[in-house]
Amino acid sequence: MQNVTKIKFALDWLTVAYYLILVTMGWFSIYGASYDLENSTSIFDFSQRAGKQFIWILTALGIGGMLLLVEHRMYNLFAYVVYGASILLLIATIFLAPDIKGSRSWLVLGPVSFQPAELAKVATSLTLAKIMSAYNYKLRSIKDMMPLLLVIFIPFALIVLQKETGSALVFAAFFLVFYREGMSGLILLLGMLAVVLFVVVIRFGEVAIFGGQGSLGMILAMGIILILELIYISFFRKHVKEALWLLGGITIICLLCWGLNLAGLSLNYNYVAICLTLASCLYCLAIQVLLRHKAYWLIALFAAVFVMFSFSSGYLFNKVLQPHQQMRIKVLLNMEDDPAGVGYNVNQSKIAIGSGGLYGKGFLNGTQTKLKYVPEQDTDFIFCTVGEEHGFVGSFLVLLIYWLFLMRILTLAERQREAFSRVYAYCVASIFFFHLLVNIGMVVGLIPVIGIPLPFFSYGGSSLWGFTILLFILLRLDAARMETMR
Amino acid sequence: MINDTLQNRRYIIAVVISAVVLIYIVRLFTIQILDDKYKEGAESNAFLYKTQYPPRGLIYDRNEKLLVYNKPAYDIMLIMREIENLDTLSLCKDLNITREYFAQRLIEIKDRKKNKGYSSYTPQVFMTQLSAEDIATMQQFIYKYRGFYIQNRTLREYSYPAAAHLLGSIGEVSPRMIAQDSYYKQGDYAGRDGIEYTYEKQLRGEKGVEILLRDAKGRIKGRYEDGKKDLAPKIGSNLKLTIDIQLQMLGEKLMDGKMGSIVAIEPATGEILSLVSNPTFDPSILVGRQRSENYRKLVNDPMKPLLNRATQAQYSPGSTFKPLQALICLQMGGITEKSYFPCGGKGSLPISCTHFHGSPVSLLNAIEQSCNPFFWGAFRSSLEKNGYGNENVNFREAYTAWSEGLKRFGLGKRFPDSDLYEQGRGYVPDTSFYDRSYLKKTAWRSLTIRSLAIGQGEILVTPLQLANVAASIANEGYYITPHINRSDSMRQRIHSVGVDKKHFQIVKEGMERVSTFGTGRYAHIPGIALCGKTGTVENNHGKDHSLYIGFAPKDDPKIAVAVVVENAGFGATWAAPIASLLIEQYLTGKIERTWMLEHMLNTVLNPHAKRY
């Protein structure tokens, strides 16, 4: 009993309040999304989705309460056990799960179905926290990162095997945690650069320039790599002379090619650009060897790796991604208009949100979201209902609360005394942030369609439970921060 | 405190998160407030996807005569949400329906158990498959009733009231078909049997879609991007059949008033020239609104008019089996062309003879006179060629060789590479069957299975298989899988029957004698070398079945036929003349034996075998 009082006192009620607000708003949105004007049912009608969500909410609260009662050291103690169990569950799922819309990720137990991927997020967070909070652990080099990468990769691969690429991608969010714990920020920047190059190569890959002799995408990509090299050499290394030499060389070769082209010689400019960039690698290596300037070989490596990456992007896109995934990206990049397929969802979703205007059409008055044309209107596309019925004001408010919620978790994270709790808190923040980033980005048409739920809003017991468990373990750890000080 | 420099990274992370949230807020501000495109979206906000149904492929006979084509039909569609101030009484008057029917349809449409994809926002079928005449008046009034509109479709129409079993029909897709093929949506139509089913994917073409814009009240505001994104429907491919529709119609007329079937095949190509099954029906009665009612009638008729007797009904072959028996026994070495067996007429044991002729009989005479004791002798000496052996092993081996020989002719199984969807298996018993019935491996001998010698007993064949046997004999050693799609690829499916060519000559000659001196002489066609074999098959449904197989001319056969007339009596009296008339028509283009034609056409053997 004393324990309960202590937790009541130490619990971060502000976070709980944000949680309750979001869950309640989600519940009403689900009611709105599945509301049928003719056969209107009560929000408590348990045969309808809103009614079911109410049960999920109550059970989630129960689970959250129980998690608060667990001795906080248990989470640290049993992290590996939970991780192992969830990996076994993921493996079992591949074989046991029925095929639902092409994915095998749901375990069905009578009336309840559960996605073990949700549990894997919690387990992975606990495990990462445990590894990184070990005495003397410092995240400095690639070598230190290896065990962490392995811990993320196993569930990631298993979830990909379940054909739930969206849920698997969530595991990329943990890189934000690594960054906070010491991983070089350069890795995040390079990751972003990879995305930019990929998009450039794909988006402009089929745009021909120089009279069909080269593709805009590839030449732009090479240009970006060269410019980054130049910026690095001249501004960060302050070797202006070397940078000018490089720039001069590039200009001369470009002029030469132009001249050859005028002389009637036909060149494949893609290869010219690639060779030019690779030549810059050799130039950097030469500087390293001859002038003994430090770290130029890293520049060469950087350029070489990204040349190869750009070169293989097209292959990656056409061969590794599945046709529907390609289509989603093409639609996002405006390369393909597919109003009957993928583009249709996004278009409908944008129209629904757009038609909400400033104040929205009012609760239960949205027509778009009820047209049943957008599938997943009460799961992945739930934000449409908010946008349509409550307008800009409503969606702004929801985003604001999410922002406050995430900032609060960061605050909780930084006030922890134990590394375990801090790392775990960052894991939680990263996961919520990733879901928000992808889900809202998808609904407003800024990110390709990736089917992952909006935390606390999307219909479904499995995800609500998953997010609740994730959050309440954090609340429990946070409530114990005073004890550990003593 | 742990690692102070890293602590500053919290701010970077916070900035990243805040930046993303800010970008999204700006984006929302753009699409919800600034962008006019989505403002218009609020006015004309939804697409209406109107399915464009392609006309199905046409079906021709082998002489390019059009058999099946399309006529326009119309569905009245209904979007529940859009109904406004409906004057039910006037609507019912215009649609020519009762108020009760109207109310019942609405209940049916809203019933999610029956109509799974129901949504009050999407088009639902209210009345289906109306003809152009029906719709003509409705077209003028339909605009008055908001929420109702007319959707164009096509229905099948038939040039000839024939070949119903073969052509098959089109019906609404079942939930199972929808589950298996995402092409289909609730309310679509697809081939359900016959070639409409087998060649569904070719015939159906591809649905198109017209994208229309609607405003929030459901009013159509025009086409999306002026129809640039519409998908035009692709017309189904046409199909040319092997059927000769004139021959088919003659066959159907000949079978009128009788139960049974005719299969005619061109031996050189395996092409089915006609496929008659009686009782039958006019294919057009299974089209449109009358379909379900007529279908119910056909299903409930005890004469089973829906059964394709030509390919699905199974009979003992009786004496029509004898030429095949002769071939297998020759191939097994149980007999030679010079073998003789004694015949004691009616008093023969263990199988009596039903015909009068001399004794001993040769193979040639035995076929001609359909002598049972000869074939018993031939069957026995083939099976007991090497004696019984220890545990009957030699006998069993011989029996297996015999039954495998039958299977090579296409008996005992469906033709797996044929394009006929409805096929019976027939039955060829193997050793394990008799082991089970006689409980012991050594308990059965040639004597116990003697009925097989004359095509009675456990063996069952379909008329299609019988016709194929005739074609294989005509071809002297091979057959091409019987089929109905006239294409080169179907003609490549050649199967050897495993009997040496040299054995066929004598059997063919015996079959020719059947038509000149033997049991089938009544069916003789002047000037044509017809090879045939009659059969009179005992059965437990009444009078004997009358059977006949044959082909003509003897050298370079153009047509092979099998005829079954159920419970009609002797093979020679009904099946043989029907077959010979069909062959005469096909080979000479006319029938000179008009007295026989009249007789066959005008005889009603079974008053229940009516035509729908």
Side-chain angles (χ1 to χ4, degrees):
Chain A
M1 231 24 243
Q2 197 194 353
N3 199 18
V4 173
T5 346
K6 218 157 57 183
I7 287 167
K8 252 192 207 163
F9 175 73
L11 189 64
D12 187 58
W13 286 100
L14 187 54
T15 313
V16 176
Y18 290 143
Y19 168 81
L20 288 176
I21 291 171
L22 288 171
V23 165
T24 312
M25 287 169 114
W27 180 36
F28 278 99
S29 302
I30 290 166
Y31 183 56
S34 47
Y35 187 75
D36 192 332
L37 287 174
E38 292 152 83
N39 310 315
S40 58
T41 50
S42 150
I43 194 166
F44 293 107
D45 183 338
F46 296 129
S47 69
Q48 301 297 315
R49 286 202 149 180
K52 285 181 187 162
Q53 183 75 0
F54 183 61
I55 299 177
W56 294 127
I57 292 172
L58 291 184
T59 45
L61 286 174
I63 291 172
M66 282 194 291
L67 289 171
L68 291 180
L69 295 178
V70 174
E71 170 59 33
H72 71 96
R73 283 182 198 87
M74 293 296 174
Y75 294 118
N76 191 334
L77 214 56
F78 286 107
Y80 293 162
V81 179
V82 174
Y83 182 75
S86 72
I87 294 300
L88 288 180
L89 207 57
L90 283 178
I91 295 173
T93 308
I94 298 177
F95 298 102
L96 296 179
D99 195 326
I100 298 173
K101 288 183 196 157
S103 101
R104 294 184 175 277
S105 59
W106 290 88
L107 280 184
V108 181
L109 299 167
V112 187
S113 31
F114 177 71
Q115 221 173 1
E118 300 293 347
L119 187 64
K121 289 176 204 164
V122 181
T124 309
S125 303
L126 287 172
T127 304
L128 290 177
K130 179 151 183 168
I131 294 175
M132 290 161 87
S133 62
Y135 182 69
N136 249 351
Y137 182 88
K138 290 246 165 62
L139 186 55
R140 276 200 217 92
S141 64
I142 300 286
K143 217 178 92 192
D144 300 329
M145 247 176 92
M146 278 331 225
L148 304 180
L149 291 180
L150 190 70
V151 166
I152 328 182
F153 180 75
I154 296 171
F156 170 83
L158 289 172
I159 296 170
V160 167
L161 286 179
Q162 295 172 1
K163 301 256 157 47
E164 271 290 320
T165 322
S167 303
L169 285 178
V170 175
F171 286 78
F174 290 118
F175 278 89
L176 212 55
V177 184
F178 300 162
Y179 170 67
R180 166 61 184 83
E181 294 302 310
M183 182 185 79
S184 166
L186 209 57
I187 292 180
L188 289 183
L189 289 177
L190 291 179
M192 264 151 67
L193 178 62
V195 172
V196 169
L197 287 179
F198 185 80
V199 168
V200 164
V201 171
I202 298 304
R203 174 68 182 88
F204 301 107
E206 279 154 30
V207 182
I209 50 170
F210 297 126
Q213 300 292 312
S215 91
L216 181 60
M218 186 56 76
I219 291 169
L220 263 181
M222 293 305 122
I224 291 172
I225 296 174
L226 285 173
I227 287 168
L228 287 177
E229 271 183 61
L230 286 170
I231 289 175
Y232 182 77
I233 296 171
S234 50
F235 292 98
F236 289 87
R237 304 248 67 133
K238 306 234 188 295
H239 294 157
V240 180
K241 204 168 69 182
E242 281 80 352
L244 282 176
W245 272 109
L246 182 58
L247 186 62
I250 294 168
T251 319
I252 288 169
I253 294 178
C254 285
L255 285 174
L256 202 66
C257 290
W258 187 48
L260 285 174
N261 195 33
L262 283 183
L265 191 76
S266 82
L267 283 170
N268 186 329
Y269 283 91
N270 284 350
Y271 290 111
V272 172
I274 289 169
C275 291
L276 194 62
T277 319
L278 288 177
S280 75
C281 298
L282 293 177
Y283 173 75
C284 292
L285 282 181
I287 294 175
Q288 168 93 35
V289 175
L290 299 176
L291 304 178
R292 303 201 177 277
H293 284 333
K294 272 183 198 162
Y296 268 81
W297 69 272
L298 275 175
I299 307 176
L301 183 70
F302 153 81
V305 166
F306 277 95
V307 166
M308 276 191 286
F309 175 77
S310 310
F311 194 63
S312 51
S313 289
Y315 179 83
L316 211 68
F317 182 75
N318 288 318
K319 295 290 157 74
V320 178
L321 291 184
Q322 288 165 13
H324 71 274
Q325 294 167 334
Q326 292 175 21
M327 194 47 121
R328 288 171 180 186
I329 293 174
K330 281 187 172 174
V331 165
L332 182 80
L333 298 178
N334 271 331
M335 295 163 69
E336 201 114 8
D337 199 1
D338 181 21
V342 190
Y344 174 69
N345 287 1
V346 179
N347 213 354
Q348 279 296 328
S349 143
K350 281 194 279 189
I351 289 176
I353 294 175
S355 68
L358 182 59
Y359 296 110
K361 298 174 186 169
F363 184 50
L364 301 184
N365 283 333
T367 50
Q368 287 306 294
T369 42
K370 291 173 188 53
L371 273 165
K372 313 223 169 184
Y373 281 135
V374 183
E376 323 298 344
Q377 51 180 319
D378 49 10
T379 53
D380 293 349
F381 281 89
I382 186 74
F383 195 69
C384 293
T385 309
V386 180
E388 186 184 15
E389 297 193 343
H390 304 291
F392 177 69
V393 175
S395 26
F396 175 81
L397 200 68
V398 170
L399 279 178
L400 184 70
I401 295 170
Y402 266 116
W403 182 74
L404 289 171
F405 174 70
L406 287 170
M407 290 303 123
R408 185 68 195 161
I409 295 178
L410 292 188
T411 312
L412 295 192
E414 291 297 340
R415 78 182 187 194
Q416 299 306 315
R417 307 285 161 125
E418 279 192 359
F420 179 80
S421 310
R422 184 187 65 240
V423 175
Y424 181 78
Y426 268 102
C427 288
V428 174
S430 306
I431 290 172
F432 281 127
F433 171 58
F434 190 86
H435 274 271
L436 186 74
L437 172 79
V438 171
N439 185 285
I440 307 279
M442 160 182 91
V443 172
V444 299
L446 290 176
I447 278 183
V449 175
I450 298 171
I452 61 173
L454 184 61
F456 311 131
F457 264 71
S458 292
Y459 170 78
S462 194
S463 66
L464 182 61
W465 283 12
F467 292 126
T468 305
I469 293 171
L470 206 59
L471 184 66
F472 277 76
I473 292 179
L474 171 63
L475 289 175
R476 178 66 192 94
L477 294 173
D478 176 64
R481 73 186 191 283
M482 297 303 179
E483 298 171 35
T484 53
M485 209 162 64
R486 272 176 258 147
Chain B
M1 305 251 69
I2 319 148
N3 216 340
D4 282 333
T5 50
L6 288 182
Q7 263 205 336
N8 290 331
R9 291 191 169 182
R10 62 184 287 195
Y11 300 113
I12 295 180
I13 292 174
V15 166
V16 168
I17 294 175
S18 310
V20 167
V21 171
L22 197 66
I23 290 169
Y24 286 175
I25 287 173
V26 170
R27 172 74 172 178
L28 284 169
F29 188 75
T30 330
I31 59 179
Q32 292 189 304
I33 294 172
L34 293 184
D35 204 325
D36 278 344
K37 196 165 80 183
Y38 300 104
K39 274 240 175 68
E40 285 161 22
E43 284 302 311
S44 65
N45 46 19
F47 297 123
L48 174 67
Y49 284 71
K50 227 174 141 180
T51 311
Q52 306 277 298
Y53 290 95
R56 266 177 101 77
L58 307 178
I59 302 176
Y60 294 90
D61 89 335
R62 63 190 290 116
N63 301 318
E64 313 269 335
K65 292 209 170 92
L66 182 61
L67 302 183
V68 187
Y69 55 101
N70 302 303
K71 66 177 174 193
Y74 305 89
D75 287 352
I76 294 185
M77 309 294 288
L78 155 68
I79 300 173
M80 289 283 188
R81 284 280 300 153
E82 293 173 6
I83 297 180
E84 255 176 48
N85 311 323
L86 180 65
D87 181 349
T88 318
L89 209 61
S90 136
L91 176 82
C92 291
K93 214 176 113 230
D94 285 339
L95 295 182
N96 200 11
I97 53 174
T98 62
R99 286 194 68 169
E100 290 72 36
Y101 178 82
F102 177 81
Q104 188 207 334
R105 272 305 290 152
L106 284 199
I107 292 168
E108 279 169 14
I109 289 172
K110 282 186 188 167
D111 185 351
R112 275 178 219 259
K113 273 188 204 118
K114 281 189 196 150
N115 186 8
K116 279 210 172 114
Y118 173 70
S119 154
S120 60
Y121 296 91
T122 57
Q124 305 291 321
V125 179
F126 179 67
M127 284 169 81
T128 182
Q129 300 193 336
L130 300 166
S131 68
E133 299 89 70
D134 290 338
I135 215 77
T137 46
M138 296 178 194
Q139 207 122 32
Q140 305 164 29
F141 301 114
I142 201 81
Y143 77 94
K144 288 195 298 192
Y145 308 104
R146 176 160 290 164
F148 288 84
Y149 70 93
I150 292 170
Q151 164 120 45
N152 296 19
R153 289 219 193 218
T154 59
L155 281 184
R156 279 311 210 190
E157 183 125 82
Y158 300 87
S159 314
Y160 306 90
H165 292 104
L166 168 100
L167 295 172
S169 62
I170 293 167
E172 205 170 322
V173 291
S174 61
R176 214 172 132 224
M177 291 171 82
I178 298 175
Q180 280 169 356
D181 187 343
S182 60
Y183 176 84
Y184 297 116
K185 298 274 175 294
Q186 183 92 33
D188 280 0
Y189 286 81
R192 297 306 300 268
D193 38 31
I195 46 166
E196 296 278 19
Y197 176 84
T198 330
Y199 291 103
E200 163 69 9
K201 286 211 170 137
Q202 278 185 37
L203 290 168
R204 74 184 180 194
E206 228 171 273
K207 281 185 283 195
V209 66
E210 191 181 17
I211 307 171
L212 301 172
L213 287 170
R214 297 195 302 194
D215 68 7
K217 293 223 170 100
R219 286 172 301 222
I220 304 295
K221 283 288 181 185
R223 309 174 77 179
Y224 176 64
E225 291 196 4
D226 286 333
K228 262 184 258 162
K229 302 291 173 187
D230 289 1
L231 192 68
K234 274 194 202 124
I235 300 174
S237 330
N238 296 346
L239 205 60
K240 191 173 171 189
L241 300 187
T242 63
I243 295 297
D244 179 332
I245 191 65
Q246 298 301 342
L247 200 65
Q248 176 76 21
M249 295 220 294
L250 172 67
E252 293 193 9
K253 266 192 240 155
L254 288 169
M255 290 305 291
D256 217 16
K258 306 159 191 82
M259 302 256 286
S261 53
I262 304 176
V263 181
I265 299 177
E266 183 176 67
T269 55
E271 292 176 353
I272 295 175
L273 300 169
S274 70
L275 198 70
V276 178
S277 172
N278 212 53
T280 185
F281 52 93
D282 181 342
S284 60
I285 67 169
L286 288 188
V287 170
R289 302 234 286 149
Q290 43 177 357
R291 178 183 163 88
S292 54
E293 195 194 328
N294 285 330
Y295 192 83
R296 205 175 313 123
K297 268 192 214 158
L298 293 174
V299 166
N300 293 334
D301 187 331
M303 297 295 124
K304 298 190 178 162
L306 282 174
L307 180 74
N308 188 350
R309 289 179 155 75
T311 58
Q312 290 177 298
Q314 308 185 133
Y315 311 91
S316 292
S319 295
T320 58
F321 183 64
K322 283 171 182 164
L324 177 57
Q325 178 75 286
L327 286 167
I328 306 260
C329 291
L330 283 167
Q331 181 69 22
M332 286 175 74
I335 56 168
T336 69
E337 295 180 12
K338 297 191 178 64
S339 296
Y340 283 84
F341 288 94
C343 172
K346 277 212 158 80
S348 298
L349 286 173
I351 305 177
S352 70
C353 194
T354 48
H355 301 276
F356 302 100
H357 51 81
S359 172
V361 263
S362 68
L363 173 55
L364 219 48
N365 282 330
I367 295 176
E368 175 197 313
Q369 295 298 337
S370 198
C371 174
N372 287 346
F374 177 93
F375 284 97
W376 155 241
F379 182 57
R380 179 180 195 169
S381 47
S382 302
L383 294 188
E384 297 178 1
K385 196 176 53 174
N386 301 322
Y388 276 84
N390 188 26
E391 288 274 297
N392 281 2
V393 41
N394 295 348
F395 167 74
R396 295 168 67 83
E397 207 171 90
Y399 180 79
T400 305
W402 181 84
S403 62
E404 286 305 314
L406 297 186
K407 288 179 187 165
R408 296 280 308 258
F409 275 86
L411 267 49
K413 59 176 194 309
R414 295 189 179 95
F415 292 102
D417 50 354
S418 174
D419 52 2
L420 287 165
Y421 163 56
E422 295 95 354
Q423 279 190 56
R425 277 173 203 283
Y427 189 65
V428 174
D430 50 16
T431 51
S432 60
F433 172 80
Y434 288 114
D435 290 347
R436 259 181 283 127
S437 353
Y438 292 100
L439 301 174
K440 240 169 75 184
K441 284 188 175 183
T442 51
W444 58 282
R445 308 165 69 82
S446 24
L447 190 65
T448 38
I449 58 168
R450 60 186 176 275
S451 306
L452 292 182
I454 57 163
Q456 296 279 166
E458 292 81 8
I459 185 165
L460 291 174
V461 298
T462 67
L464 178 69
Q465 288 170 339
L466 269 184
N468 188 54
V469 167
S472 312
I473 299 173
N475 287 340
E476 301 187 357
Y478 67 91
Y479 68 88
I480 291 147
T481 302
H483 57 271
I484 37 178
N485 178 13
R486 200 161 192 221
S487 72
D488 287 340
S489 72
M490 295 301 297
R491 239 171 269 151
Q492 309 304 318
R493 302 176 183 185
I494 304 169
H495 306 269
S496 162
V497 296
V499 173
D500 298 339
K501 195 170 176 179
K502 61 180 181 198
H503 297 311
F504 283 92
Q505 209 45 52
I506 189 160
V507 172
K508 275 181 146 181
E509 202 170 322
M511 289 174 76
E512 189 186 9
R513 284 191 184 207
V514 168
S515 322
T516 45
F517 316 112
T519 53
R521 58 189 179 277
Y522 175 56
H524 175 67
I525 313 169
I528 290 172
L530 170 65
C531 299
K533 184 71 198 81
T534 58
T536 307
V537 178
E538 295 167 19
N539 64 87
N540 20 10
H541 303 289
K543 252 176 119 175
D544 291 348
H545 294 326
S546 170
L547 266 67
Y548 184 82
I549 66 168
F551 55 88
K554 185 185 170 202
D555 306 308
D556 189 23
K558 294 282 182 229
I559 180 170
V561 178
V563 177
V564 176
V565 187
E566 290 178 17
N567 308 114
F570 295 118
T573 355
W574 301 106
I578 287 175
S580 82
L581 286 168
L582 203 74
I583 291 172
E584 185 183 359
Q585 171 69 38
Y586 185 69
L587 293 180
T588 67
K590 58 185 184 300
I591 291 173
E592 302 218 314
R593 296 171 295 161
T594 43
W595 51 273
M596 185 187 268
L597 180 64
E598 293 291 311
H599 179 49
M600 289 299 142
L601 290 179
N602 296 332
T603 311
V604 172
L605 289 173
N606 188 335
H608 301 293
K610 65 177 175 193
R611 186 192 173 86
Y612 285 87

